[in-house]
Amino acid sequence: MKTYRDIFDPCFDWPIIKIFKPLYFKFKNELLYLFWGFVNTVISYVFFFLFQYVFKFDPLIVTVLVWLVGVFSGYFLYAIFVFEEHNTSVKEELIKFASGRVFSLVVAETITLVMVKLLGISALITKITSDVVTVILNYLISKFIVFK
């Protein structure tokens, strides 16, 4: 858990928000992961819309391209802003991070294959569904394997 003050800590000194301070510090790591994950998700969705609707790539290819963008931007966001301790080199962490994301990619591709190709569900609904599943998997992998 972070021990230094980050950009959000001063907000919990405000009178009306101060009541949430104990809860914030109890779940700070998870909340920071969700916030920076949201930023990473916005980045991923920008690329999703570009690849899917501007360039009109196949949804399975879009999933891989968006995954690549998400891995690199996610690693740096989480390494800098969420997980304070780094017991390994950046190269080693990035390899572990990417390896964990390969598992998430397989899950996302399976969800995409089933929902879009077999069930005919829209690519956007499929993307949202696979994101919910992979966010949970990715947090667990990051917390207990990559940045432990």
Side-chain angles (χ1 to χ4, degrees):
M1 178 147 94
K2 292 198 169 286
T3 55
Y4 64 88
R5 289 177 60 86
D6 61 36
I7 60 173
F8 300 105
D9 289 351
C11 297
F12 290 92
D13 292 332
W14 299 346
I16 195 119
I17 298 177
K18 198 177 244 181
I19 61 172
F20 298 107
K21 192 172 189 172
L23 191 61
Y24 169 71
F25 283 102
K26 183 176 181 179
F27 297 106
K28 185 173 184 175
N29 189 252
E30 292 81 4
L31 293 169
L32 288 172
Y33 186 87
L34 288 173
F35 175 79
W36 291 109
F38 173 77
V39 171
N40 194 42
T41 300
V42 170
I43 293 167
S44 294
Y45 272 83
V46 167
F47 282 91
F48 168 78
F49 281 104
L50 283 173
F51 295 145
Q52 181 69 46
Y53 298 111
V54 175
F55 299 116
K56 302 195 184 302
F57 293 155
D58 182 87
L60 293 173
I61 293 172
V62 170
T63 301
V64 173
L65 293 174
V66 170
W67 177 82
L68 289 170
V69 170
V71 166
F72 287 105
S73 61
Y75 171 76
F76 290 105
L77 289 170
Y78 299 138
I80 293 168
F81 299 114
V82 179
F83 298 102
E84 183 180 84
E85 296 185 28
H86 300 275
N87 297 323
T88 57
S89 69
V90 170
K91 180 182 175 183
E92 191 176 332
E93 275 184 355
L94 186 54
I95 289 169
K96 285 181 184 179
F97 190 83
S99 297
R101 289 333 195 241
V102 167
F103 177 70
S104 297
L105 174 62
V106 171
V107 170
E109 283 289 279
T110 302
I111 291 169
T112 302
L113 178 67
V114 170
M115 290 181 74
V116 173
K117 298 291 186 176
L118 299 179
L119 300 176
I121 298 171
S122 80
L124 180 60
I125 297 297
T126 300
K127 171 81 172 120
I128 293 167
T129 303
S130 69
D131 282 351
V132 169
V133 172
T134 57
V135 162
I136 295 166
L137 289 173
N138 290 339
Y139 177 74
L140 296 173
I141 291 167
S142 292
K143 183 166 179 78
F144 297 110
I145 297 172
V146 179
F147 301 109
K148 63 178 183 165

